[in-house]
Structures are given as structure tokens and as C-alpha cells.
């Protein structure tokens, strides 16, 4: 363990922006749901009706998990049921960034030349990520206590997020030992997270029927933490199961580290096809982006099926709530209610698509750090051509995934207007391009701080989830480009904000490309 403490300090210095960002942001989001539920369901009877409809709906159970109560705290904890997936994703990426990615870039070899043990870097990454998860849980607990929620339930709620981060930090540590590429390690880790989510969904949805497959949720770490049931039974024994899993995963990763060569993975590297043709920069860019694009497209299609399936239950919930019924009667009845729901989901989907666009943009930075960009630019390929062919997929990719989500949503809700639902999804594109352009700007001007490109999506997520609930000033809400997008279906479609956002994205992209032309590669 020699050198572990200093490596922890190094990780904290390198992640001094990104790490506090996701810890604080994800920790504060659930607090915004308290006031929202108090306003929508002020009486116990309304909360009971809402809980009965939600607990028996397969779409809601798929998205948020099981609901076993109707108290305000139980509803808030259930509504934050997708948050453990985000916490797990952040933990996975953090561990891989400071293990496999550093080893691939050569930083681990440089550090290892000093008085540092072989296990120190893995230990430092795990310690830092687990402590970050615990801090996230502490922030969430403090925020819920500040809203006047019960103490024991708030502690259990915070423990749910902390345990999720620790468990999937161990998963990330294992996947970092499997391949020689950080990109492949991330892909395997995300697939593992997806499998855990699907197992949790399969078990919970089965419990609504005959329950023959309800045991599946007990095979998934996501299922374990959600069975703590904060503010309800506060069942702690699944926490013990999660802690044991974390210890086992960390120990397995440490053993696997000693069984592979430095710079290699346990899985043998697969040679590319002999007939592969990279005769043009565009062909190379397609080879680099196709896996990412296909994976995100499949994920968005699945998300669309979930949102479309939930759409039919929106009317049931409103009919059981007199306040909501009156509100939507004034707005135009059931049609306005469903349109408002799909307009809200379109904003969420647009923000997720922006994360895809940022990830695709930062692939340029990965190519630069691994030395692949130098090899390409040593040929008769200009910087503009190299970057431009990659940015083509940054612009096209969000359009493809948003189309997939809009079509899937419309097909899963046949009572609605497929064209209007699809238009509400695609209208998010200019806002997505603005966040992608900010990533291009960061890559072109401050390449060593390219990770700061994740800050705008995080800020937009905060504004989307809690901006209206906390009644933030309009100037702050206007920071998000998604605030200016027309709310479709049901709203007024105007071209002016879309044109303005597109021009802003073009200006930011041009500035970033100009910076790329003038700086060193690598930088």
C-alpha cells in the first residue's frame, strides 16, 4: 500500500471539479422532490391514491423501483429510484479513469517508477470513490433533514446512495483488469450496470404478477439497495449484503491485478478484421463511433418504450387527485395532461442525449492522449478534417438517438399523435448541440481541462430537476439552453429560439476549432 495516500491526493487534485460536482448535485436532487410532492399531494388521501396507482404500474416500477408505502418520505425516496443508476455510473467511470485509463496513457508506468506499490493506484481509486459515495450520502441525508424528514429514514436514504457508489466502484475495479483499453473497460462496466438494472426491473415487475421471477431483483446490487425502503421499514440487512459484495469485488480486483501483465488485460486483445478499410478519415471516425452510437440508440429506444408505457397511467393518477384534475381541466383536459407529460419527458431525453454528445466529443481527447491523433495527422489529413469527421457523428448521433426514442415512445402509446411526440423529442436538438459545442470549445482551448465539459450538462440537470420546485430566478433558469426550447407536444412551436441556439452552437464550435488549429497536439 506504499504511496496510496499520495495517490489519493493526486486523484483529488485531478478531479477537484468533477468529483464535487456529481457528489453535491446528486446529493441535493431528492430534496427538491419534497416540496413538489407536498404541493401536488397535500393530503394523506391524495398521497394514498397516488401510491396505489404508481405501485401497481409496471412502467413506474420499471423506472423507479417498488413502492411500499404512501408517506411523503417514501414517495420521495421512490421518486429518486433512478438516482442509484446515476451514482453507479459516476462511480464506475471514476475508478476506470484512475486505473485503466492512466495505465493506458502511461501515467501508471511513470508513477510506478517511484516508491509506489503495484496495488496503490487501485486502492487509491477505490478509497477516493467510496469516500465520495459516503459524502454523497451525507449530503443527501443533511438535505432531507433540512426538509424536516425523519432522521432514521434520511440516514437510510443516504446509505442507499453511498452503498450504491461503493458497490459499483468495486465493479469498475474488476472491469479495469479485463481489457487493455479504457474504452473497452468502460463499455463492459456500463453493460454490467445495464444487466444489474434489467435484473432489478425483471424482479420488481414480476412481483406485480405471480412473482415467479421476483428473485431476480435479489441478484442485482441495485435491487439490494432499493430494498432498504427508507422512511418505511428501514430494512438494513440488504446493506450488509451490499457491503460484503463491495469487499468481495475489491478483493477480486486486487487478485486479478496480480494475474495480468502490466498494460494488458485478462481478456486477450481482439484483432480487427483483415478487410477493414480506413482509407478515409470518415471511415476511421465511423469505426470509432459506431459502437457508441448503436449502444446509445438501443438504450434510447428502451427508454422510449418505458416512457410510452407510463403515459397511459398519467390520466389514472390525475383522476384520483382532485387538485391535478382541476388544473388540467383548466389547461384543456386529458389531452393537455398527456401532452405536458410527454413534453416533460422530452426535456429529460434531450439532456441525456446531450451527455451522449459530450461523450462523443471527448473521444477526440482520448484519441489525442493515446497518440492516435498524431499518427493520423502525420498523413495528408488536416486538423479540421480529423476533427470535423468526428464531429459529424457528434451532430448526427443525437438526432439518431432522439428519433429512436421518439418513435419508441409514440409506438408504446398508440393513443397519442406519433408525429407530435417525435417533434417534441427532435426539437431538443439545438439545445443538445449547444452543450456539445461547449465540449468542443473546452477541447480546443483548454484540452487538459476537457472534463469540465461535463459541468454544463450537470448544471442543466440541476435546473431541470429542481429549478421550478425551488422557485429559482428566471435568469438562472435561462442559463440552460433547454429552457428556451418549445414545449412540444401541446405548446407553441416558434423557430426563433431554435435558430438562435443553432447559431450559438455554430459559433462555439467554430471558436473551439480555431483553438484546436493554434495549439499543440498533444497538449
Amino acid at each position: 500500500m506504499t504511496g496510496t495516500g499520495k495517490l489519493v491526493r493526486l486523484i483529488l487534485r485531478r478531479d477537484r471539479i468533477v468529483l464535487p460536482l456529481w457528489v453535491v448535485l446528486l446529493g441535493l436532487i431528492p430534496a427538491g422532490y419534497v416540496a413538489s410532492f407536498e404541493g401536488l399531494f397535500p393530503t394523506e388521501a391524495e398521497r394514498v391514491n397516488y401510491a396505489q396507482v404508481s405501485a401497481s404500474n409496471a412502467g413506474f416500477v420499471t423506472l423507479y423501483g417498488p413502492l411500499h408505502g404512501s408517506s411523503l418520505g417514501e414517495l420521495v425516496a421512490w421518486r429518486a429510484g433512478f438516482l442509484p443508476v446515476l451514482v453507479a455510473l459516476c462511480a464506475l467511470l471514476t475508478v476506470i479513469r484512475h486505473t485503466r485509463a492512466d495505465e493506458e496513457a502511461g501515467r501508471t508506468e511513470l508513477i510506478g517508477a517511484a516508491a509506489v506499490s503495484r496495488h496503490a493506484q487501485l486502492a487509491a481509486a477505490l478509497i477516493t470513490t467510496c469516500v465520495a459515495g459516503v459524502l454523497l450520502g451525507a449530503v443527501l441525508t443533511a438535505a432531507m433533514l433540512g426538509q424536516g424528514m425523519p432522521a432514521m429514514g434520511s440516514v437510510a436514504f443516504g446509505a442507499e446512495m453511498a452503498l450504491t457508489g461503493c458497490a459499483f466502484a468495486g465493479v469498475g475495479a474488476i472491469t479495469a483488469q479485463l481489457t487493455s483499453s479504457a474504452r473497452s473497460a468502460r463499455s463492459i462496466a456500463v453493460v454490467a450496470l445495464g444487466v444489474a438494472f434489467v435484473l432489478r426491473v425483471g424482479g420488481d415487475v414480476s412481483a406485480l404478477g405471480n412473482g415467479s421471477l421476483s428473485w431476480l431483483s435479489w441478484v442485482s446490487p441495485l435491487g439490494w439497495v432499493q430494498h432498504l425502503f427508507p422512511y418505511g421499514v428501514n430494512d438494513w440487512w440488504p446493506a450488509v449484503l451490499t457491503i460484503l459484495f463491495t469487499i468481495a469485488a475489491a478483493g477480486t480486483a486486487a487478485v486479478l491485478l496480480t494475474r495480468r501483465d502490466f498494460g494488458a488485460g485478462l481478456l486477450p486483445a481482439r484483432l480487427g478484421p483483415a478487410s477493414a478499410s480506413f482509407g478515409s478519415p470518415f471511415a476511421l471516425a465511423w469505426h470509432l463511433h459506431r459502437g457508441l452510437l448503436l449502444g446509445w440508440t438501443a438504450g434510447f429506444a428502451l427508454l422510449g418504450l418505458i416512457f410510452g408505457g407510463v403515459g397511459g397511467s398519467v390520466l389514472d393518477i390525475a383522476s384520483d387527485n382532485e387538485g391535478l384534475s382541476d388544473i388540467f381541466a383548466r389547461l384543456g383536459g386529458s389531452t393537455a395532461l398527456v401532452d405536458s407529460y410527454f413534453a416533460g419527458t422530452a426535456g429529460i431525453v434531450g439532456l441525456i442525449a446531450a451527455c451522449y454528445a459530450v461523450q462523443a466529443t471527448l473521444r477526440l481527447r482520448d484519441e489525442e492522449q493515446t497518440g492516435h491523433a498524431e499518427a493520423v495527422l502525420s498523413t495528408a489529413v488536416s486538423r479540421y478534417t480529423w476533427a470535423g469527421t468526428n464531429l459529424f457523428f457528434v451532430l448526427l448521433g443525437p438526432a439518431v438517438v432522439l428519433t429512436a426514442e421518439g418513435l419508441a415512445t409514440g409506438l408504446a402509446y398508440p393513443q397519442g399523435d406519433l408525429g407530435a411526440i417525435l417533434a417534441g423529442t427532435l426539437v431538443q436538438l439545438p439545445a443538445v448541440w449547444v452543450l456539445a459545442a461547449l465540449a468542443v470549445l473546452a477541447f480546443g482551448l483548454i484540452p487538459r481541462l476537457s472534463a469540465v465539459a461535463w459541468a454544463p450538462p450537470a448544471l442543466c440537470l440541476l435546473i431541470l430537476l429542481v429549478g421550478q420546485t425551488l422557485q429559482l430566478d428566471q435568469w438562472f433558469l435561462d442559463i440552460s439552453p433547454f429552457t428556451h426550447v418549445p414545449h412540444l407536444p401541446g405548446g407553441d412551436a416558434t423557430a426563433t429560439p431554435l435558430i438562435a441556439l443553432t447559431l450559438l452552437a455554430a459559433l462555439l464550435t467554430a471558436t473551439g476549432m480555431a483553438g484546436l488549429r493554434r495549439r499543440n497536439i498533444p497538449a
Side-chain angles (χ1 to χ4, degrees), residues 35-399:
S36 178
F37 274 106
E38 285 180 333
L40 289 175
F41 308 101
T43 67
E44 178 64 25
E46 291 175 332
R47 287 196 292 269
V48 169
N49 288 334
Y50 175 78
Q52 290 175 345
V53 173
S54 301
S56 60
N57 180 266
F60 282 144
V61 172
T62 296
L63 199 57
Y64 303 127
L67 175 60
H68 285 202
S70 60
S71 68
L72 179 60
E74 288 173 303
L75 291 176
V76 170
W78 170 78
R79 180 60 178 80
F82 195 75
L83 201 60
V85 178
L86 300 180
V87 175
L89 181 62
C90 292
L92 291 171
L93 298 180
T94 300
V95 171
I96 294 174
R97 164 177 161 79
H98 295 291
T99 52
R100 174 53 64 182
D102 281 354
E103 189 170 338
E104 184 181 14
R107 285 186 287 268
T108 300
E109 187 175 11
L110 179 63
I111 293 172
V116 176
S117 70
R118 186 172 185 182
H119 287 92
Q121 190 161 22
L122 176 62
L126 285 171
I127 291 171
T128 304
T129 306
C130 290
V131 170
V134 172
L135 290 176
L136 188 156
V139 170
L140 192 154
T141 299
M144 299 303 291
L145 290 174
Q147 296 289 326
M149 304 303 293
M152 185 57 66
S154 299
V155 172
F157 197 10
E160 177 183 341
M161 302 304 165
L163 291 170
T164 301
C166 294
F168 282 90
V171 174
I174 292 176
T175 59
Q177 316 307 318
L178 299 181
T179 70
S180 59
S181 166
R183 185 178 304 164
S184 298
R186 294 188 192 102
S187 300
I188 295 173
V190 171
V191 169
L193 175 58
V195 170
F197 180 74
V198 170
L199 289 173
R200 196 278 298 166
V201 169
D204 292 340
V205 172
S206 175
L208 298 178
N210 56 22
S212 60
L213 296 177
S214 59
W215 57 270
L216 287 175
S217 60
W218 291 102
V219 184
S220 167
L222 292 176
W224 302 339
V225 296
Q226 289 195 332
H227 279 80
L228 292 176
F229 295 125
Y231 304 106
V233 295
N234 292 324
D235 192 357
W236 287 100
W237 79 264
V240 177
L241 192 61
T242 309
I243 293 173
L244 293 176
F245 174 83
T246 302
I247 296 173
T252 301
V255 172
L256 295 179
L257 177 62
T258 63
R259 295 180 179 272
R260 66 174 179 85
D261 292 333
F262 182 83
L266 291 173
L267 301 178
R270 187 181 64 178
L271 297 178
S275 59
S277 174
F278 301 135
S280 68
F282 184 84
L284 177 60
W286 164 246
H287 178 77
L288 293 175
H289 287 270
R290 63 184 180 183
L292 188 69
L293 178 59
L294 294 176
W296 277 82
T297 302
F300 268 67
L302 177 61
L303 192 62
L305 293 176
I306 295 173
F307 283 149
V310 172
S313 301
V314 174
L315 294 177
D316 297 334
I317 294 173
S319 63
D320 291 330
N321 186 302
E322 182 178 354
L324 281 179
S325 298
D326 293 341
I327 291 174
F328 287 108
R330 292 194 297 269
L331 292 176
S334 61
T335 301
L337 171 57
V338 176
D339 287 346
S340 177
Y341 164 75
F342 283 122
T345 59
I348 297 174
V349 169
L351 185 54
I352 299 175
C355 294
Y356 161 75
V358 171
Q359 183 183 6
T361 302
L362 294 183
R363 179 151 289 186
L364 287 168
R365 181 59 179 168
D366 291 339
E367 292 295 294
E368 181 180 1
Q369 289 181 307
T370 56
H372 298 160
E374 283 186 282
V376 174
L377 296 176
S378 64
T379 65
V381 176
S382 68
R383 297 189 182 195
Y384 284 150
T385 302
W386 168 67
T389 52
N390 283 272
L391 293 181
F392 173 80
F393 292 96
V394 174
L395 299 177
L396 176 66

Side-chain angles (χ1 to χ4, degrees), residues 462-463 466-477:
L462 177 64
I463 292 173
V466 300
Q468 295 291 345
T469 302
L470 299 181
Q471 298 181 345
L472 300 177
D473 292 337
Q474 187 61 41
W475 68 265
F476 186 78
L477 300 179

